[in-house]
Amino acid sequence: MAKELKDLTKRSENYSQWYNDLIVKADLAEQSAVRGCMVIKPYGYAIWEKMQRQLDTMFKETGAQNAYFPLLIPKSFLSREAEHVKGFAKECAVVTHYRLKSSEDGNAVVVDPEARLEEELIVRPTSETIIWNTYKNWIHSYRDLPLMCNQWCNVMRWEMRTRPFLRTSEFLWQEGHTAHATKEEAVEEAQKMLKVYAKFAEDYMAVPVLQGVKSETERFAGALDTYTIEAMMQDGKALQSGTSHFLGQNFAKSFDVTFLNKENKPEYVWATSWGVSTRLIGALIMTHSDDNGLVLPPRLAPIQVVIIPIANKPEQLAAVTEKITPVIEALRKKGITVKYDDADNKRPGFKFADYELKGVPVRLAMGARDIENGTIELMRRDTLEKESLPFEGIADHIETLLEDIQKNIFEKARRYRDERVYECDNYDEFKERIKDGGFFLCHWDGTEETEARIKEETQATIRCVPFAYEQTPGTDMVSGKPAKHRVIIARAY
């Protein structure tokens, strides 16, 4: 591999620096001129587009429709839901003026003090308030329900400590907001969307996740219940990768959103919201990638197959191109994205290194000798295995291989996760072992005091009450009090 591409910090030496290096060297993103914000480069954005396209299809299959709501939210809207404003107040960016003017000396631009807004506006940290103010105009009768909208947009949360994709002041996401006639329908919707997220994470991202419900202190601000999918990164830390919220009637009451039921009596509607963001790209990187660069699941890779001709003379290149063109066409007919890199601006070795760094699942190489022998060289990115294969039937072989790679990287991640899920009933043991990462199944007495103590003493948090494990009562390892169930505790991003 070319030195300038291979010069990644090793995961074992500094996992955090490895992550930051990889984002830059693989051309995913870079820092911007605005503190805490990033520029998502074309290759990184192509991954997001594939995520967005698949999720959008899955959302619409549930009955959700896309809409768009304003970026700016009147400040008074946030104050209508006490828990909501409490949860987001410290992260809000506030617009106070609507005009600039030149300074008196003409050397600077300053805010025009006469252009102060009558009401300050908040750059949306999330859209519950502006959407529920709108829903009041849309919902009148039970016949208007359920109302299920989703929007793809950006949001702003003024973060003090940022990291590309994982936590930035501005990020891209989708947020679904639904209204229902009954509590049961809303709870069912919130849980259904959690399953949609889990299916996407496992079937497309190849990231195994645990589904569960958050503790009260970890809930979304304004929710009665928050459901979550939690993934384990290669350093043993948890990453919250998607959430779905049962909001009860809190926002309906705050914005007076009622409907006439079948008995012609007014009722407040029941609500959910749910969202995932560009944080998923961070999850993708940290779950699968290695010291050579990205490892991308084929279903989300912008380029699934790259073909590199090995040719020293124009006539050799022409021969390879003629031979490989039918294969490119056959692959594209199968819906496989192919790049034929016949540019003469880089040596083949540099190209090999570049596409390995960018995580392209399958690399083909062909030269004059391969044409003579009727073979082609293939390398799969997940295992770095290289082999020479018969040219005949290569398109069908690649179609099968891509599915095998998708399954292989999921199973590898699942094995890694499962080997690091531990039952633990001793707090001293927990405090020692949590330093090495992992998901710890521990009994919890349900109190905020115990939860806060764990966080203060170990930097670990209760990630969720998991659905996948049989729950039995026991004794809290911290307080010694009775506990109804075990929870997942981990250090997290």
Side-chain angles (χ1 to χ4, degrees):
M1 181 178 280
K3 182 182 184 300
E4 57 266 50
L5 294 177
K6 192 174 182 180
D7 193 22
L8 277 177
T9 301
K10 293 187 181 300
R11 291 166 295 169
S12 59
E13 294 175 0
N14 188 327
Y15 188 80
S16 180
Q17 190 59 50
W18 164 81
Y19 175 78
N20 291 333
D21 286 352
L22 185 49
I23 286 172
V24 174
K25 291 179 181 295
D27 259 355
L28 299 179
E30 62 185 35
Q31 297 293 341
S32 77
V34 181
R35 182 199 168 280
C37 298
M38 63 177 174
V39 174
I40 304 176
K41 301 179 76 172
Y43 192 66
Y45 197 80
I47 297 172
W48 177 241
E49 283 182 312
K50 292 198 81 167
M51 290 180 165
Q52 186 181 41
R53 196 174 300 126
Q54 181 56 43
L55 282 166
D56 198 62
T57 297
M58 297 170 80
F59 297 159
K60 287 172 179 172
E61 287 173 351
T62 73
Q65 300 179 83
N66 286 337
Y68 186 80
F69 298 87
L71 170 69
L72 300 176
I73 300 171
K75 183 181 173 183
S76 59
F77 282 18
L78 263 70
S79 61
R80 294 195 195 181
E81 215 295 323
E83 288 300 314
H84 193 66
V85 69
K86 181 180 177 182
F88 286 103
K90 293 181 180 179
E91 299 176 338
C92 287
V94 185
V95 179
T96 59
H97 291 74
Y98 62 85
R99 187 168 61 224
L100 300 174
K101 69 175 186 176
S102 297
S103 60
E104 291 183 4
D105 60 11
N107 294 325
V109 176
V110 297
V111 172
D112 185 345
E114 296 181 0
R116 188 172 186 89
L117 294 171
E118 290 185 16
E119 180 177 2
E120 294 170 340
L121 299 171
I122 309 300
V123 181
R124 65 173 165 234
T126 181
S127 297
E128 276 77 7
T129 56
I130 192 76
I131 287 177
W132 278 93
N133 182 71
T134 305
Y135 279 2
K136 181 179 180 179
N137 301 322
W138 294 2
I139 298 171
H140 306 286
S141 161
Y142 70 91
R143 294 183 179 88
D144 299 321
L145 300 171
L147 177 59
M148 302 165 66
C149 287
N150 172 66
Q151 76 166 341
W152 294 93
C153 63
N154 60 341
V155 292
M156 175 68 72
R157 297 178 185 176
W158 209 259
E159 296 282 355
M160 293 297 104
R161 299 176 65 183
T162 61
R163 181 175 293 180
F165 293 114
L166 297 181
R167 192 174 293 276
T168 50
S169 295
E170 180 196 21
F171 55 89
L172 305 181
W173 79 344
Q174 59 74 211
E175 48 180 319
H177 298 270
T178 69
H180 303 268
T182 67
K183 175 182 178 181
E184 291 74 20
E185 288 177 13
V187 170
E188 181 183 355
E189 174 70 14
Q191 294 176 349
K192 180 205 305 177
M193 296 314 298
L194 186 76
K195 291 182 175 67
V196 169
Y197 289 151
K199 180 176 178 59
F200 174 76
E202 298 195 339
D203 290 357
Y204 292 88
M205 295 176 61
V207 173
V209 294
L210 290 178
Q211 302 177 50
V213 61
K214 289 284 191 182
S215 65
E216 184 176 350
T217 57
E218 292 289 326
R219 287 177 192 159
F220 175 77
L224 299 186
D225 270 317
T226 288
Y227 305 99
T228 182
I229 54 172
E230 299 285 330
M232 183 186 290
M233 304 298 97
Q234 291 181 58
D235 61 352
K237 288 185 179 179
L239 184 71
Q240 178 181 291
S241 301
T243 51
S244 179
H245 316 289
F246 168 55
L247 302 176
Q249 295 175 311
N250 289 350
F251 287 93
K253 290 178 179 178
S254 297
F255 290 89
D256 194 27
V257 185
T258 62
F259 70 101
L260 292 177
N261 63 22
K262 292 182 179 180
E263 287 73 42
N264 210 35
K265 295 180 180 178
E267 289 186 39
Y268 287 108
V269 299
W270 297 83
T272 79
S273 66
W274 28 274
V276 294
S277 74
T278 37
R279 167 176 277 215
L280 293 181
I281 297 178
L284 205 65
I285 296 166
M286 292 199 295
T287 302
H288 303 309
S289 302
D290 59 26
D291 290 343
N292 293 317
L294 292 176
V295 175
L296 296 178
R299 291 180 185 173
L300 295 179
I303 304 167
Q304 294 171 305
V305 179
V306 63
I307 305 173
I308 300 171
I310 309 298
N312 297 321
K313 301 176 182 178
E315 57 268 25
Q316 292 177 337
L317 177 60
V320 172
T321 301
E322 182 180 0
K323 185 73 173 176
I324 206 69
T325 296
V327 174
I328 295 172
E329 293 172 351
L331 289 170
R332 287 175 176 163
K333 283 182 180 178
K334 294 175 181 291
I336 296 168
T337 55
V338 186
K339 180 174 181 179
Y340 181 51
D341 191 347
D342 59 351
D344 61 359
N345 58 340
K346 297 175 183 176
R347 302 185 307 276
F350 189 98
K351 292 179 182 179
F352 291 169
D354 191 23
Y355 292 115
E356 188 175 317
L357 180 70
K358 291 183 175 178
V360 176
V362 173
R363 185 188 79 211
L364 300 176
M366 189 174 219
R369 186 176 298 176
D370 295 297
I371 295 176
E372 291 176 10
N373 297 334
T375 59
I376 192 166
E377 184 185 270
L378 180 149
M379 193 197 82
R380 54 186 289 175
R381 178 63 184 87
D382 59 330
T383 63
L384 298 177
E385 293 173 350
K386 189 188 301 183
E387 57 183 335
S388 182
L389 296 170
F391 183 80
E392 197 67 33
I394 192 65
D396 291 336
H397 177 80
I398 289 172
E399 184 179 33
T400 302
L401 180 62
L402 288 171
E403 283 303 307
D404 182 65
I405 293 171
Q406 184 81 26
K407 292 175 184 175
N408 182 56
I409 64 174
F410 173 73
E411 289 301 329
K412 181 181 178 182
R414 183 163 64 177
R415 285 194 301 272
Y416 183 90
R417 193 272 313 271
D418 290 349
E419 289 168 0
R420 289 162 180 78
V421 178
Y422 316 107
E423 280 195 10
C424 188
D425 297 310
N426 182 286
Y427 191 42
D428 288 333
E429 177 190 344
F430 169 81
K431 286 191 287 187
E432 189 60 34
R433 294 179 66 188
I434 192 65
K435 298 173 185 176
D436 297 322
F439 285 180
F440 289 80
L441 277 164
C442 307
H443 282 109
W444 175 48
D445 61 17
T447 66
E448 291 184 17
E449 292 78 15
T450 296
E451 190 173 10
R453 181 180 169 187
I454 292 170
K455 186 174 182 178
E456 181 181 351
E457 294 180 353
T458 69
Q459 291 79 54
T461 53
I462 294 175
R463 306 311 304 159
C464 66
V465 180
F467 298 148
Y469 297 94
E470 183 178 350
Q471 292 292 355
T472 55
T475 303
D476 187 295
M477 66 177 180
V478 180
S479 68
K481 296 178 181 178
K484 293 181 180 180
H485 45 231
R486 290 185 185 271
V487 295
I488 294 287
I489 305 177
R491 289 181 174 174
Y493 285 97

